[in-house]
Every structure is written in structure tokens, then in C-alpha cells.
Amino acid sequence: DKFRFAALQSEAGQALLAKFNLQKLEFDTVMLIQGEEYFVKSTAALIIAKNISGLYKILYPLIVLPAKLRDLVYNMIAKNRYSIFGKRDVCRVPTEKERRKFLVE
């Protein structure tokens, strides 16, 4: 319950992008908004990893690397995510508890 989600192309996502004058942001990345700041790509992913349970926390120290280098790796993983993590044939329907985590306008 630390995060809420919105697709960047949704009304809620578009409203958040407009707030930061980012309407032309690519839709194939992760974006994290904390207060009046936003983070994208590897910076967003690492901050999220730091704040969720599990072994992902151990990735956060990578934040000290230059963002250009981190984003290069992020882009490579994003481009190959299906071959790395697999792809399902059907989309899973979120539970009611999971649905409450999505911003809807």
C-alpha cells in the first residue's frame, strides 16, 4: 500500500504528466511521483525497489551510478523483458484489493 498506479496513457496518468509538463513522455517506462518530484526509468525503479519488501532492496545502492549508465541497463532490460521474465498468454484480472491501488479518473 505504499504506491498507487496509473497507466501513463490513462486520464489519471495524463493529468499527472500535465502537472509536470511531461505530456510527451514515452509510455514504455516507469514513472514515480513523490510529492512535487518525479523520477523516471532506473531512478524510479530503484526508489521503488528500496521501498518494497524482499530482496529488491539490495539493488538501491546502484543509485550512486550515473543515471545515463543505469538507464542504459534499464532500457536493455525493458527491451528484453519478455525473454528475461517471460510472457503470459492472458492478462490476470486484479483482485478487488489490487484494484484499489489504481488511480482512476
Side-chain angles (χ1 to χ4, degrees), residues 51-93:
N51 286 282
I52 60 176
S53 61
L55 291 175
Y56 295 107
K57 291 177 184 288
I58 65 171
L59 297 173
Y60 185 73
L62 296 172
I63 200 86
V64 300
L65 296 174
K68 285 188 179 200
L69 176 63
R70 286 187 281 114
D71 286 346
L72 179 69
V73 174
Y74 174 93
N75 289 335
M76 287 174 28
I77 292 170
K79 186 175 184 177
N80 297 293
R81 67 186 177 274
Y82 293 129
S83 60
I84 296 169
F85 302 109
K87 184 176 181 180
R88 297 178 186 221
D89 292 331
V90 295
C91 292
R92 186 177 65 76
V93 176

